[in-house]
């Protein structure tokens, strides 16, 4: 009886650890993707501003 309860507790603990690690990895990947997308958007905005102010030929701004 005690052995069965110990096995069930061990399986539940391993399941909890696996789900925790999976959640951590998903959060890490989400943070990396969010950072990359933010940098891409910032770069696009900066490039667009540069193009509007100084990039067009014949501009007298």
């Amino acid at each position: 009886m005690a052995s069965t309860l110990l096995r069930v507790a061990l399986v539940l603990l391993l399941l909890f650890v696996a789900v925790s690690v999976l959640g951590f990895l998903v959060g890490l990947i989400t943070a990396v993707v969010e950072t990359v997308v933010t940098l891409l958007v910032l770069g696009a905005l900066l490039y667009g501003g540069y193009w509007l102010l100084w990039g067009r030929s014949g501009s007298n701004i």
Side-chain angles (χ1 to χ4, degrees), residues 32-50:
V32 168
V33 168
E34 185 179 352
T35 302
V36 168
V37 169
T38 302
L39 289 175
L40 286 174
V41 169
L42 182 62
L45 287 173
L46 288 173
Y47 179 76
Y50 172 80

PDB file of all heavy atoms in Angstrom, residues 32-50:
ATOM      1  N   VAL A  32      11.591  35.712 -26.089  1.00  0.00           N
ATOM      2  CA  VAL A  32      12.558  35.912 -27.173  1.00  0.00           C
ATOM      3  C   VAL A  32      11.843  36.383 -28.435  1.00  0.00           C
ATOM      4  O   VAL A  32      12.291  37.326 -29.103  1.00  0.00           O
ATOM      5  CB  VAL A  32      13.356  34.613 -27.424  1.00  0.00           C
ATOM      6  CG1 VAL A  32      14.155  34.711 -28.715  1.00  0.00           C
ATOM      7  CG2 VAL A  32      14.272  34.320 -26.255  1.00  0.00           C
ATOM      8  N   VAL A  33      10.722  35.749 -28.764  1.00  0.00           N
ATOM      9  CA  VAL A  33       9.974  36.137 -29.963  1.00  0.00           C
ATOM     10  C   VAL A  33       9.451  37.565 -29.820  1.00  0.00           C
ATOM     11  O   VAL A  33       9.520  38.362 -30.763  1.00  0.00           O
ATOM     12  CB  VAL A  33       8.823  35.140 -30.224  1.00  0.00           C
ATOM     13  CG1 VAL A  33       7.860  35.671 -31.274  1.00  0.00           C
ATOM     14  CG2 VAL A  33       9.385  33.797 -30.652  1.00  0.00           C
ATOM     15  N   GLU A  34       8.949  37.912 -28.642  1.00  0.00           N
ATOM     16  CA  GLU A  34       8.447  39.266 -28.424  1.00  0.00           C
ATOM     17  C   GLU A  34       9.565  40.298 -28.573  1.00  0.00           C
ATOM     18  O   GLU A  34       9.365  41.367 -29.166  1.00  0.00           O
ATOM     19  CB  GLU A  34       7.825  39.356 -27.038  1.00  0.00           C
ATOM     20  CG  GLU A  34       7.168  40.684 -26.748  1.00  0.00           C
ATOM     21  CD  GLU A  34       6.529  40.729 -25.373  1.00  0.00           C
ATOM     22  OE1 GLU A  34       6.468  39.680 -24.706  1.00  0.00           O
ATOM     23  OE2 GLU A  34       6.098  41.817 -24.981  1.00  0.00           O
ATOM     24  N   THR A  35      10.750  39.983 -28.066  1.00  0.00           N
ATOM     25  CA  THR A  35      11.882  40.893 -28.194  1.00  0.00           C
ATOM     26  C   THR A  35      12.284  41.072 -29.646  1.00  0.00           C
ATOM     27  O   THR A  35      12.520  42.200 -30.099  1.00  0.00           O
ATOM     28  CB  THR A  35      13.080  40.363 -27.379  1.00  0.00           C
ATOM     29  OG1 THR A  35      12.676  40.225 -26.019  1.00  0.00           O
ATOM     30  CG2 THR A  35      14.260  41.293 -27.470  1.00  0.00           C
ATOM     31  N   VAL A  36      12.342  39.981 -30.393  1.00  0.00           N
ATOM     32  CA  VAL A  36      12.727  40.065 -31.809  1.00  0.00           C
ATOM     33  C   VAL A  36      11.705  40.876 -32.592  1.00  0.00           C
ATOM     34  O   VAL A  36      12.068  41.739 -33.401  1.00  0.00           O
ATOM     35  CB  VAL A  36      12.897  38.644 -32.395  1.00  0.00           C
ATOM     36  CG1 VAL A  36      13.013  38.689 -33.900  1.00  0.00           C
ATOM     37  CG2 VAL A  36      14.119  37.973 -31.790  1.00  0.00           C
ATOM     38  N   VAL A  37      10.425  40.622 -32.356  1.00  0.00           N
ATOM     39  CA  VAL A  37       9.386  41.369 -33.074  1.00  0.00           C
ATOM     40  C   VAL A  37       9.437  42.846 -32.712  1.00  0.00           C
ATOM     41  O   VAL A  37       9.308  43.717 -33.586  1.00  0.00           O
ATOM     42  CB  VAL A  37       7.996  40.765 -32.773  1.00  0.00           C
ATOM     43  CG1 VAL A  37       6.884  41.664 -33.277  1.00  0.00           C
ATOM     44  CG2 VAL A  37       7.874  39.387 -33.400  1.00  0.00           C
ATOM     45  N   THR A  38       9.662  43.162 -31.439  1.00  0.00           N
ATOM     46  CA  THR A  38       9.769  44.558 -31.020  1.00  0.00           C
ATOM     47  C   THR A  38      10.940  45.246 -31.704  1.00  0.00           C
ATOM     48  O   THR A  38      10.823  46.380 -32.180  1.00  0.00           O
ATOM     49  CB  THR A  38       9.933  44.645 -29.489  1.00  0.00           C
ATOM     50  OG1 THR A  38       8.811  44.015 -28.885  1.00  0.00           O
ATOM     51  CG2 THR A  38      10.032  46.076 -29.024  1.00  0.00           C
ATOM     52  N   LEU A  39      12.076  44.562 -31.773  1.00  0.00           N
ATOM     53  CA  LEU A  39      13.245  45.152 -32.443  1.00  0.00           C
ATOM     54  C   LEU A  39      12.998  45.338 -33.935  1.00  0.00           C
ATOM     55  O   LEU A  39      13.418  46.346 -34.514  1.00  0.00           O
ATOM     56  CB  LEU A  39      14.479  44.282 -32.205  1.00  0.00           C
ATOM     57  CG  LEU A  39      15.033  44.306 -30.782  1.00  0.00           C
ATOM     58  CD1 LEU A  39      16.172  43.303 -30.644  1.00  0.00           C
ATOM     59  CD2 LEU A  39      15.516  45.694 -30.414  1.00  0.00           C
ATOM     60  N   LEU A  40      12.315  44.397 -34.565  1.00  0.00           N
ATOM     61  CA  LEU A  40      11.999  44.544 -35.984  1.00  0.00           C
ATOM     62  C   LEU A  40      11.069  45.731 -36.226  1.00  0.00           C
ATOM     63  O   LEU A  40      11.269  46.503 -37.177  1.00  0.00           O
ATOM     64  CB  LEU A  40      11.372  43.259 -36.526  1.00  0.00           C
ATOM     65  CG  LEU A  40      12.316  42.081 -36.732  1.00  0.00           C
ATOM     66  CD1 LEU A  40      11.526  40.842 -37.136  1.00  0.00           C
ATOM     67  CD2 LEU A  40      13.350  42.415 -37.796  1.00  0.00           C
ATOM     68  N   VAL A  41      10.062  45.880 -35.384  1.00  0.00           N
ATOM     69  CA  VAL A  41       9.132  47.006 -35.536  1.00  0.00           C
ATOM     70  C   VAL A  41       9.856  48.325 -35.295  1.00  0.00           C
ATOM     71  O   VAL A  41       9.671  49.293 -36.042  1.00  0.00           O
ATOM     72  CB  VAL A  41       7.933  46.838 -34.574  1.00  0.00           C
ATOM     73  CG1 VAL A  41       7.099  48.103 -34.501  1.00  0.00           C
ATOM     74  CG2 VAL A  41       7.068  45.669 -35.018  1.00  0.00           C
ATOM     75  N   LEU A  42      10.696  48.376 -34.273  1.00  0.00           N
ATOM     76  CA  LEU A  42      11.456  49.592 -34.002  1.00  0.00           C
ATOM     77  C   LEU A  42      12.386  49.925 -35.168  1.00  0.00           C
ATOM     78  O   LEU A  42      12.490  51.084 -35.580  1.00  0.00           O
ATOM     79  CB  LEU A  42      12.264  49.417 -32.715  1.00  0.00           C
ATOM     80  CG  LEU A  42      13.082  50.627 -32.265  1.00  0.00           C
ATOM     81  CD1 LEU A  42      12.171  51.812 -31.974  1.00  0.00           C
ATOM     82  CD2 LEU A  42      13.895  50.280 -31.030  1.00  0.00           C
ATOM     83  N   GLY A  43      13.052  48.922 -35.702  1.00  0.00           N
ATOM     84  CA  GLY A  43      13.914  49.149 -36.863  1.00  0.00           C
ATOM     85  C   GLY A  43      13.134  49.640 -38.069  1.00  0.00           C
ATOM     86  O   GLY A  43      13.579  50.533 -38.789  1.00  0.00           O
ATOM     87  N   ALA A  44      11.947  49.071 -38.296  1.00  0.00           N
ATOM     88  CA  ALA A  44      11.119  49.508 -39.423  1.00  0.00           C
ATOM     89  C   ALA A  44      10.665  50.956 -39.230  1.00  0.00           C
ATOM     90  O   ALA A  44      10.654  51.748 -40.191  1.00  0.00           O
ATOM     91  CB  ALA A  44       9.917  48.589 -39.572  1.00  0.00           C
ATOM     92  N   LEU A  45      10.287  51.313 -38.003  1.00  0.00           N
ATOM     93  CA  LEU A  45       9.873  52.700 -37.742  1.00  0.00           C
ATOM     94  C   LEU A  45      11.035  53.674 -37.933  1.00  0.00           C
ATOM     95  O   LEU A  45      10.865  54.751 -38.533  1.00  0.00           O
ATOM     96  CB  LEU A  45       9.320  52.821 -36.327  1.00  0.00           C
ATOM     97  CG  LEU A  45       7.942  52.206 -36.099  1.00  0.00           C
ATOM     98  CD1 LEU A  45       7.601  52.242 -34.608  1.00  0.00           C
ATOM     99  CD2 LEU A  45       6.883  52.925 -36.895  1.00  0.00           C
ATOM    100  N   LEU A  46      12.204  53.312 -37.439  1.00  0.00           N
ATOM    101  CA  LEU A  46      13.365  54.183 -37.614  1.00  0.00           C
ATOM    102  C   LEU A  46      13.742  54.320 -39.081  1.00  0.00           C
ATOM    103  O   LEU A  46      14.051  55.411 -39.559  1.00  0.00           O
ATOM    104  CB  LEU A  46      14.553  53.646 -36.811  1.00  0.00           C
ATOM    105  CG  LEU A  46      14.447  53.797 -35.293  1.00  0.00           C
ATOM    106  CD1 LEU A  46      15.600  53.083 -34.610  1.00  0.00           C
ATOM    107  CD2 LEU A  46      14.420  55.261 -34.903  1.00  0.00           C
ATOM    108  N   TYR A  47      13.707  53.215 -39.815  1.00  0.00           N
ATOM    109  CA  TYR A  47      14.030  53.270 -41.237  1.00  0.00           C
ATOM    110  C   TYR A  47      12.995  54.109 -41.989  1.00  0.00           C
ATOM    111  O   TYR A  47      13.345  54.893 -42.871  1.00  0.00           O
ATOM    112  CB  TYR A  47      14.092  51.856 -41.818  1.00  0.00           C
ATOM    113  CG  TYR A  47      14.397  51.850 -43.294  1.00  0.00           C
ATOM    114  CD1 TYR A  47      15.688  52.095 -43.750  1.00  0.00           C
ATOM    115  CD2 TYR A  47      13.393  51.617 -44.230  1.00  0.00           C
ATOM    116  CE1 TYR A  47      15.973  52.110 -45.095  1.00  0.00           C
ATOM    117  CE2 TYR A  47      13.667  51.626 -45.577  1.00  0.00           C
ATOM    118  CZ  TYR A  47      14.958  51.873 -46.003  1.00  0.00           C
ATOM    119  OH  TYR A  47      15.228  51.901 -47.341  1.00  0.00           O
ATOM    120  N   GLY A  48      11.716  53.939 -41.636  1.00  0.00           N
ATOM    121  CA  GLY A  48      10.667  54.731 -42.280  1.00  0.00           C
ATOM    122  C   GLY A  48      10.826  56.212 -41.992  1.00  0.00           C
ATOM    123  O   GLY A  48      10.652  57.049 -42.894  1.00  0.00           O
ATOM    124  N   GLY A  49      11.160  56.555 -40.755  1.00  0.00           N
ATOM    125  CA  GLY A  49      11.395  57.966 -40.429  1.00  0.00           C
ATOM    126  C   GLY A  49      12.597  58.521 -41.166  1.00  0.00           C
ATOM    127  O   GLY A  49      12.559  59.646 -41.679  1.00  0.00           O
ATOM    128  N   TYR A  50      13.656  57.759 -41.236  1.00  0.00           N
ATOM    129  CA  TYR A  50      14.843  58.197 -41.982  1.00  0.00           C
ATOM    130  C   TYR A  50      14.508  58.392 -43.451  1.00  0.00           C
ATOM    131  O   TYR A  50      14.903  59.381 -44.074  1.00  0.00           O
ATOM    132  CB  TYR A  50      15.961  57.166 -41.823  1.00  0.00           C
ATOM    133  CG  TYR A  50      17.154  57.448 -42.703  1.00  0.00           C
ATOM    134  CD1 TYR A  50      18.089  58.403 -42.338  1.00  0.00           C
ATOM    135  CD2 TYR A  50      17.339  56.755 -43.901  1.00  0.00           C
ATOM    136  CE1 TYR A  50      19.176  58.685 -43.143  1.00  0.00           C
ATOM    137  CE2 TYR A  50      18.425  57.016 -44.713  1.00  0.00           C
ATOM    138  CZ  TYR A  50      19.336  57.984 -44.330  1.00  0.00           C
ATOM    139  OH  TYR A  50      20.402  58.258 -45.129  1.00  0.00           O
TER     140      TYR A  50
END
